[in-house]
Amino acid sequence: MSFVSVNIESGSETPVKLTRRALAKQRTRERVLSAARQLFSERGYEGATIRDIAQAAGMSTGAVFASFSDKSELFDEILTADYEVIYAQMKQAARDGETVADALLGLFGVAYSFHLEQLPLLQASIAVSWTRSDAAEKRARTDIKQLFALITDALERGVQAGELKADVDAKLVAEIAWDVYVANYRRAVYDGWTVENLVAHLREQLKLILAGVRA
């Protein structure tokens, strides 16, 4: 049987070996994900069928189901991959902010820039959030908790720097900031707002939110 060695960083010197069959399966999976992302971004969740995705990927529907149990699993994997990318960028943006407002605008600005490039995909994810499986909901809540931790950390750093009151309820302020950030997407969807419009509007909203907890 033929093998291909793949080196990974670990304490062991033994390389991981993938069979050609495993590599072929992995490549098929990647083709399906790429085609699905494109169609979900163009048509939304309901508008993109497994048949359409298979056709776009140049394979049969059976090949798609060999990698994913259904469309919801396929969609969830795309969202998970996006989250991993955006979380790292938001984390860095929050760290780079010199003030609380800078940190919050930075991390939310990253999210606006990312999602506005594929707005129908974001709309689809919001719509699907009401009907997804318990397992998918659990994963989504875990991801959101990590994002809330970034916001809360920025607020707590503001307390330590003397920007905010020592007794500020960081969790509550984080929830308010998050709700405002999410609500602004309606401006992009229905009013055609750009990333610059959203960030400028959010800046004014954060001024009001933070004004009540300034030291």
Side-chain angles (χ1 to χ4, degrees), residues 50 54-55 58-65:
I50 288 292
Q55 184 175 10
M59 59 187 63
S60 67
T61 56
V64 174
F65 285 121

Short mmCIF file of all heavy atoms in Angstrom, two decimals, residues 50 54-55 58-65:
data_model
loop_
_atom_site.label_atom_id
_atom_site.label_comp_id
_atom_site.label_asym_id
_atom_site.label_seq_id
_atom_site.Cartn_x
_atom_site.Cartn_y
_atom_site.Cartn_z
N ILE A 50 -27.78 20.36 -1.84
CA ILE A 50 -26.68 19.40 -1.93
C ILE A 50 -26.39 19.07 -3.39
O ILE A 50 -25.23 18.93 -3.80
CB ILE A 50 -27.01 18.10 -1.15
CG1 ILE A 50 -26.96 18.37 0.36
CG2 ILE A 50 -26.03 17.00 -1.51
CD1 ILE A 50 -25.57 18.68 0.90
N ALA A 54 -22.79 19.62 -5.08
CA ALA A 54 -22.10 18.51 -5.73
C ALA A 54 -21.71 18.88 -7.16
O ALA A 54 -20.59 18.62 -7.61
CB ALA A 54 -22.97 17.26 -5.72
N GLN A 55 -22.64 19.49 -7.87
CA GLN A 55 -22.39 19.88 -9.25
C GLN A 55 -21.26 20.90 -9.32
O GLN A 55 -20.38 20.81 -10.19
CB GLN A 55 -23.65 20.45 -9.88
CG GLN A 55 -23.51 20.81 -11.36
CD GLN A 55 -24.82 21.26 -11.97
OE1 GLN A 55 -25.80 21.48 -11.28
NE2 GLN A 55 -24.84 21.40 -13.29
N GLY A 58 -18.03 19.33 -8.91
CA GLY A 58 -17.69 18.39 -9.96
C GLY A 58 -17.74 16.94 -9.51
O GLY A 58 -16.91 16.12 -9.91
N MET A 59 -18.73 16.62 -8.69
CA MET A 59 -18.86 15.24 -8.20
C MET A 59 -20.32 14.89 -7.99
O MET A 59 -21.22 15.73 -8.17
CB MET A 59 -18.07 15.07 -6.90
CG MET A 59 -18.51 15.98 -5.78
SD MET A 59 -17.42 15.86 -4.33
CE MET A 59 -15.86 16.45 -4.99
N SER A 60 -20.58 13.67 -7.61
CA SER A 60 -21.95 13.21 -7.39
C SER A 60 -22.43 13.59 -5.99
O SER A 60 -21.62 13.88 -5.10
CB SER A 60 -22.02 11.69 -7.55
OG SER A 60 -21.29 11.06 -6.50
N THR A 61 -23.74 13.56 -5.80
CA THR A 61 -24.28 13.82 -4.46
C THR A 61 -23.83 12.74 -3.48
O THR A 61 -23.63 13.01 -2.30
CB THR A 61 -25.82 13.87 -4.49
OG1 THR A 61 -26.32 12.65 -5.05
CG2 THR A 61 -26.30 15.05 -5.32
N GLY A 62 -23.66 11.52 -3.98
CA GLY A 62 -23.17 10.44 -3.13
C GLY A 62 -21.80 10.73 -2.58
O GLY A 62 -21.50 10.39 -1.42
N ALA A 63 -20.95 11.37 -3.38
CA ALA A 63 -19.60 11.72 -2.92
C ALA A 63 -19.66 12.76 -1.81
O ALA A 63 -18.86 12.75 -0.88
CB ALA A 63 -18.77 12.23 -4.09
N VAL A 64 -20.63 13.67 -1.92
CA VAL A 64 -20.80 14.69 -0.88
C VAL A 64 -21.24 14.02 0.43
O VAL A 64 -20.70 14.30 1.50
CB VAL A 64 -21.83 15.74 -1.30
CG1 VAL A 64 -22.11 16.71 -0.14
CG2 VAL A 64 -21.35 16.50 -2.53
N PHE A 65 -22.22 13.12 0.32
CA PHE A 65 -22.72 12.45 1.52
C PHE A 65 -21.70 11.47 2.11
O PHE A 65 -21.83 11.07 3.27
CB PHE A 65 -24.03 11.71 1.21
CG PHE A 65 -25.22 12.63 1.08
CD1 PHE A 65 -25.96 12.67 -0.10
CD2 PHE A 65 -25.59 13.46 2.13
CE1 PHE A 65 -27.07 13.51 -0.21
CE2 PHE A 65 -26.68 14.31 2.02
CZ PHE A 65 -27.42 14.33 0.85
#
